[in-house]
Amino acid sequence: KAADGAVYASRSNIYLVLVEWTYYQSASYTRSVFLKLRLDGPDAAFESSFWAPGQLLNQYAMSEAQDGSFRAATTSRAVSGWWFDTSNNLYVFDAAGTEVGAVEGLAPGETIKSVRFAGDRCYLVTFVQTDPLFVISLEEAVPRVLGELKIPGFSSYLHMVNATHMIGVGRDADPATGTERGLQFSLFDVSDELNPRQAAVLVVADRGSDSEALQDAKAFQFWSASDLRAAGVASPGVFAVPAQLASLALAKERGSTDTSTWATGANYFQGLLMHDVALNPLGNVTHLEPDFWDEDDDDDNDYWWAYSQRSSTSSGGHITRSLRRGDAVYTFSDNFVAKTSLEDGRSLGTASLAVNATYSEYDDDYGYWYYVW
């Protein structure tokens, strides 16, 4: 969820976040205001309010420790005339909302892309041209940076695999210009906290690719080795993300002459990608017909054109969510639910959710789209 209006809940408290602009010494600044509500069974009562400079990325940028202290990672933005600058910070507040420690000014000129709190550690990713991953200790009141890793691209979501490894889902980027490219999956090893490293990396497709998991963590699924073993599947762990993939080579094949760093590929897949924790691909699932991405005779293929032109059996086939039950993976789109074997990738059936399904046609005389039942 976006920072303005984000909500974080522990077992004892709920924190609501509001973003405000303040003015100081001829410059405008953002700050995040936290409203703390104490939970008492089904009731919630206002307890305190406090604030931190900067703006949170989302609810994952907040955490409450076992002792009741509260931590928040923010990106500060200062605007004065045409001047604009950013820096990144981590603040610690006691249970009463009093600031007791902070580390400020991390990665000047960059912005936070993802945050993950795990016990007394914070893993923080910022980005402008490369991706610094910071490992920050919260063992004492004042946060302390232990280690830093710089790699091309960035992670928009971090997921703990175990105490020493994380999966990052994000984008590849040109290290010289910061131009975003295809999807990027990373396996981070933080066992040596002074020297975190990227144990494995996989770049998938080209610029123009996208995934719901970059904006919504609920689109990401991870199934641990122990969970899979209980289901009779031998695997070190599997993660799954919905994705739309694009190819620059396919765009060129179809007549694109754009050779700039901003060139966007032609779409060729939409569905669920599944990989193990070593980033080995395990198979893909799609709800779209095999010819969905074929180029039309009269019109250049793109996602929305194809989406509107296909029959009702493909309309509404954009996968956005998945879940696992036993050794089967269920994928969900607007009009379909499909069941796939996690062990060998076999289709185990598809159910249509469409009622009075429609497809679109274009009226040349009147110049508008209409639906046909």
Side-chain angles (χ1 to χ4, degrees):
K1 189 174 177 68
D4 195 2
V7 177
Y8 172 81
S10 68
R11 293 180 181 273
S12 304
N13 303 293
I14 293 179
Y15 298 85
L16 309 179
V17 185
L18 303 174
V19 177
E20 295 182 343
W21 281 92
T22 62
Y23 191 77
Y24 177 71
Q25 293 184 350
S26 302
S28 296
Y29 297 86
T30 54
R31 72 176 188 177
S32 296
V33 178
F34 304 97
L35 305 180
K36 181 179 179 180
L37 307 179
R38 167 66 64 177
L39 296 176
D40 182 12
D43 300 321
F46 174 80
E47 182 162 303
S48 64
S49 66
F50 51 97
W51 62 273
Q55 185 171 350
L56 282 78
L57 176 67
N58 51 34
Q59 69 267 40
Y60 293 96
M62 298 178 277
S63 175
E64 185 183 85
Q66 290 184 349
D67 64 1
S69 61
F70 180 76
R71 299 83 68 91
T74 69
T75 295
S76 296
R77 293 174 171 84
V79 181
S80 179
W82 292 104
W83 174 76
F84 176 87
D85 202 5
T86 63
S87 63
N88 305 285
N89 327 288
L90 180 59
Y91 297 97
V92 179
F93 303 87
D94 64 19
T98 301
E99 184 183 319
V100 294
V103 56
E104 298 178 303
L106 297 173
E110 303 187 8
T111 59
I112 291 175
K113 286 294 186 178
S114 58
V115 186
R116 172 62 71 178
F117 288 95
D120 57 10
R121 293 294 184 266
C122 174
Y123 303 99
L124 182 67
V125 170
T126 64
F127 177 75
V128 65
Q129 288 181 304
T130 56
D131 166 4
L133 169 67
F134 294 96
V135 180
I136 303 174
S137 171
L138 294 163
E139 290 178 306
E140 302 173 354
V142 178
R144 180 166 57 95
V145 176
L146 299 176
E148 178 183 352
L149 169 69
K150 288 189 176 182
I151 55 174
F154 60 87
S155 297
S156 293
Y157 177 68
L158 296 171
H159 190 90
M160 301 301 299
V161 174
N162 51 43
T164 58
H165 291 81
M166 295 183 296
I167 292 171
V169 178
R171 291 191 184 280
D172 180 33
D174 186 328
T177 65
T179 305
E180 297 179 10
R181 299 190 290 207
L183 298 177
Q184 178 173 278
F185 303 138
S186 300
L187 177 64
F188 294 109
D189 182 347
V190 293
S191 55
D192 181 355
E193 297 182 317
L194 301 182
N195 298 286
R197 67 187 185 92
Q198 189 181 48
V201 61
L202 176 66
V203 176
V204 180
D206 297 319
R207 181 175 171 82
S209 303
D210 201 6
S211 171
E212 280 79 5
L214 299 182
Q215 294 83 34
D216 186 352
K218 293 179 181 178
F220 178 95
Q221 291 289 313
F222 175 72
W223 308 306
S224 69
S226 58
D227 289 340
L228 295 175
R229 188 163 51 250
V233 178
S235 172
V238 174
F239 71 92
V241 294
Q244 176 182 315
L245 304 182
S247 165
L248 290 172
L250 182 58
K252 183 177 181 180
E253 182 182 310
R254 291 179 173 173
S256 173
T257 58
D258 188 353
T259 58
S260 72
T261 189
W262 301 103
T264 299
N267 296 306
Y268 66 90
F269 174 83
Q270 197 291 319
L272 187 76
L273 308 181
M274 292 186 289
H275 295 76
D276 66 19
V277 293
L279 309 187
N280 299 306
L282 300 179
N284 303 334
V285 180
T286 185
H287 290 185
L288 303 178
E289 294 174 349
D291 65 345
F292 185 84
W293 301 106
D294 291 349
E295 186 175 20
D296 294 327
D297 294 336
D298 300 324
D299 301 280
D300 290 338
N301 172 270
D302 65 38
Y303 181 67
W304 301 112
W305 178 265
Y307 197 84
S308 64
Q309 290 296 289
R310 295 300 184 248
S311 68
S312 60
T313 57
S314 285
S315 177
H318 183 112
I319 294 175
T320 58
R321 291 289 188 273
S322 65
L323 61 82
R324 179 190 64 84
R325 289 292 181 270
D327 61 354
V329 175
Y330 294 81
T331 48
F332 301 85
S333 60
D334 285 347
N335 285 355
F336 302 97
V337 176
K339 183 179 180 182
T340 304
S341 169
L342 184 57
E343 191 166 15
D344 57 20
R346 289 181 301 112
S347 173
L348 301 176
T350 301
S352 175
L353 305 178
V355 178
N356 295 327
T358 67
Y359 65 92
S360 306
E361 290 188 359
Y362 190 75
D363 190 303
D364 292 318
D365 294 330
Y366 295 96
Y368 62 86
W369 290 97
Y370 66 94
Y371 289 101
V372 179
W373 280 264

